[in-house]
Structures are given as C-alpha cells and as structure tokens.
Amino acid sequence: MNFLMLLPAVAGATEGLAWQWTAHLPLTWALTAEVRLPQVWSFNAEENKDARISMFRFDSIIRCTTAEPAGKGKYELGCQAVDVRIAAAPLQADVGSLPGILDEYDGLLLTHPIRLLVTDDGKVKTVDIDGISHNDKTVVIEETLRLMLVRQFALIDLQLPKKGDDGGRKWKQSLGLAYQFPDIHGTMGIATTDHVVASTEGSVVEIVSRGRGLVGSGEMIDVGGKEQPQQMYDAVLEGTARFDTARGLMLERKYLVRMDPKSSTAMINEWQAIPYVQAASMVLIDVGQMAAPLPPNIELPVSIGPEDAAN
C-alpha cells in the first residue's frame, strides 16, 4: 500500500493557513524532544570533562519577544530559554560523569539569546545561539547546544500552503528540520512530507503529516578508494498539529520520526546498526498562562548499546 494513501480525505478548502509571526508577541512554547541517537554523541564541558551519550531528552520553555523583518517573507525571531531540563543516558564507562555537564549546558541555554530565521509560510531556516565566548572547547559546546535546539524547533518548522489556502488538497514540504541529523557534518538526502487538514473546529484545524525519505549525515568515508556516505537511513515521519487560522499560530504539534539504517551501506561498527528515533512535542503557552516548572537535570540509566540496538 502507498504510505501516503493513509492520509485522511480532504473535505474542502481551508483558508487562513498562514503564520502571523508579529501579531501576537511574545510567543511562548513548551518544547520537548527525545532523541535516540544513531551513534555515540559527546557532551563536553569547558573544564576538561566529557561524557558519551546514547540518548537525550530536552525540555524547555522558550519565549520569543521580537520579530524583525529579514528579507522578503522572512523574519528573525529573538528568543530566550526561560526554563530548561536535560536528561541523558551515558555509556556504561561514563556513568556518573553527566550531572555537572548537564547543569553547565542548562546555565548556558538560560543566559544566551536564541535567534530563529523563519519564513511567512512556516519554514525555520536557521537556529542559532549567541554570545558564548569562543575557545576550542566552547565552539564544540555551542554547536552541541545549537543542534539540540534544532531538534526542538523542528516542531515549529511546518510549512503551510501558498497564500494560506490549501485548495482542499494536501500540500508538500521538502526535507525540513525533522529529518536533520544532530551532526556537525550536516544532513544529506531527500525527504518529503505531505500535510493535510483532517478536521476543523471553529478556527482551529487539525493537520496530519506523513512523510518518508532517504537521508543521512553529511559525513563521507572512503570505501575501496571511493567516497560514499558514512550511513544512509530510510526515514518515516508521522505527526499531527493544531493550528489556529484566526490567530495564525500553531497551538500544538507532535511527531515521531524513525530512521532505520540501510543494510546496503558499509557498516563501520555495531553502533551504526542502531535506528535514529525522535519523538517531539510542543504546546503554545498563551499570554497570562504559566508553565509548570521543569524538573532538575538528570543522568538517566544506561539504556542502549550495540548489543540491544534491535530491541
């Protein structure tokens, strides 16, 4: 069966499917991203301390207070984390190393501004964290934090149809942040997500998203004298969102992305047989509402290794 045939039928045209970035500032979101990594990832501290992890969960409350024009159909949002919680599972050899690192990352996220470059149809073009002084260690830390933030702001990256009218049909989004790898080498490949309005209640529509692709880290390796991607993955995305067409704001979104390594790709070690899984969710916190305080950072039990990757 064609995967995209599982999208619900469309009853009629929906108008008002357009973001209004400047009309309702400040915007506050509760964001969660839980990531099961396809390879070992390092959390490095500034003071010669590091820990290797296999998965992390990142919760935050982010408030965006400014939206400056940044070219035709683009805006730069100025944002700040107001609460953060990081949980991560270390490798067995690094048990006990994470608590201080997580608290350091928490402090950096709370004290440095975040910038998003967004488009008026809902794409998130770039995510940056500013103001971290640079040395050999902090450059790596800044990129780690930025990649973690990308995993959260992938929830905001939902492209809407041209002119805010779906014409009673599904619409497509190419690639997008949901398919990106938490990797300094970037992401390569192709993926397409189909979005469709599944139901309407007043001005609030439910959008169902399903997609698939073939993607991988941008890192290349030499195999028999030829360069090829280190690993490629078959990716599948499923998600739902609630969008208020009257306000031009997304109220909620959640999605699950699973990426399974292609067996035809050369394996470097057992870790590259591990799927890459992301489960993410967001909720808009309306002005006047208070988000519940997030719990403390925590080192999770060792949860995954090459020996149980298939479980």
Side-chain angles (χ1 to χ4, degrees):
M1 177 182 294
N2 186 323
F3 178 78
L4 297 177
M5 288 177 63
L6 298 176
L7 287 167
V10 184
T14 302
E15 298 180 348
L17 292 167
W19 289 82
Q20 298 179 32
W21 294 113
T22 62
H24 305 286
L25 296 172
L27 294 172
T28 305
W29 294 297
L31 302 158
T32 296
E34 186 168 325
V35 181
R36 176 175 169 174
L37 294 157
Q39 57 191 24
V40 176
W41 213 33
S42 291
F43 274 3
N44 301 293
E46 187 171 3
E47 297 300 326
N48 296 318
K49 187 177 182 182
D50 60 85
R52 295 163 299 171
I53 67 168
S54 59
M55 66 83 62
F56 68 88
R57 174 173 168 143
F58 180 27
D59 297 272
S60 67
I61 309 298
I62 304 285
R63 180 172 297 130
C64 298
T65 56
T66 61
E68 300 294 333
K72 185 177 180 180
K74 297 178 182 178
Y75 298 90
E76 183 175 271
L77 302 187
C79 309
Q80 185 73 51
V82 296
D83 200 1
V84 169
R85 191 254 191 169
I86 309 171
L91 301 192
Q92 184 65 55
D94 295 341
V95 168
S97 300
L98 274 171
I101 299 173
L102 300 182
D103 289 344
E104 180 179 324
Y105 283 12
D106 185 317
L108 289 169
L109 287 162
L110 290 173
T111 54
H112 290 85
I114 298 164
R115 290 183 293 110
L116 308 179
L117 182 62
V118 299
T119 64
D120 55 10
D121 63 354
K123 290 182 287 187
V124 178
K125 305 292 285 185
T126 60
V127 178
D128 291 296
I129 183 167
D130 289 338
I132 298 177
S133 59
H134 283 175
N135 57 46
D136 289 346
K137 279 280 189 177
T138 56
V139 167
V140 175
I141 292 169
E142 181 179 338
E143 181 61 8
T144 299
L145 297 176
R146 193 193 71 81
L147 290 170
M148 292 171 64
L149 287 166
V150 170
R151 297 278 43 82
Q152 289 195 337
F153 286 114
L155 288 154
I156 313 300
D157 180 47
L158 196 163
Q159 186 177 7
L160 295 173
K162 292 181 179 180
K163 299 182 180 180
D165 185 346
D166 67 355
R169 300 180 297 274
K170 65 186 180 185
W171 67 94
K172 293 184 181 295
Q173 179 173 354
S174 297
L175 204 54
L177 296 186
Y179 296 98
Q180 288 197 5
F181 272 65
D183 193 303
I184 61 172
H185 299 95
T187 301
M188 64 185 302
I190 186 168
T192 301
T193 300
D194 278 43
H195 305 295
V196 67
V197 173
S199 63
T200 302
E201 184 176 345
S203 64
V204 177
V205 300
E206 180 187 23
I207 299 171
V208 172
S209 305
R210 292 193 173 100
R212 66 188 317 153
L214 178 64
V215 295
S217 162
E219 185 172 4
M220 305 295 285
I221 59 172
D222 184 274
V223 178
K226 295 182 179 180
E227 278 202 338
Q228 69 174 52
Q230 179 175 339
Q231 181 62 288
M232 297 298 288
Y233 292 78
D234 287 313
V236 176
L237 177 148
E238 295 186 11
T240 59
R242 295 176 64 244
F243 190 88
D244 188 340
T245 58
R247 291 193 289 168
L249 295 176
M250 187 156 59
L251 308 181
E252 299 177 24
R253 190 185 184 195
K254 58 184 177 181
Y255 70 73
L256 176 68
V257 176
R258 181 182 173 97
M259 302 188 187
D260 289 296
K262 289 186 68 64
S263 59
S264 60
T265 303
M267 296 295 179
I268 305 306
N269 56 48
E270 297 91 336
W271 273 97
Q272 290 183 309
I274 295 175
Y276 174 29
V277 183
Q278 310 165 47
S281 63
M282 65 81 70
V283 176
L284 177 72
I285 301 173
D286 278 324
V287 175
Q289 291 184 330
M290 294 291 292
L294 295 172
N297 305 316
I298 186 171
E299 177 178 295
L300 300 172
V302 175
S303 63
I304 185 171
E307 67 281 356
D308 63 359
N311 294 334

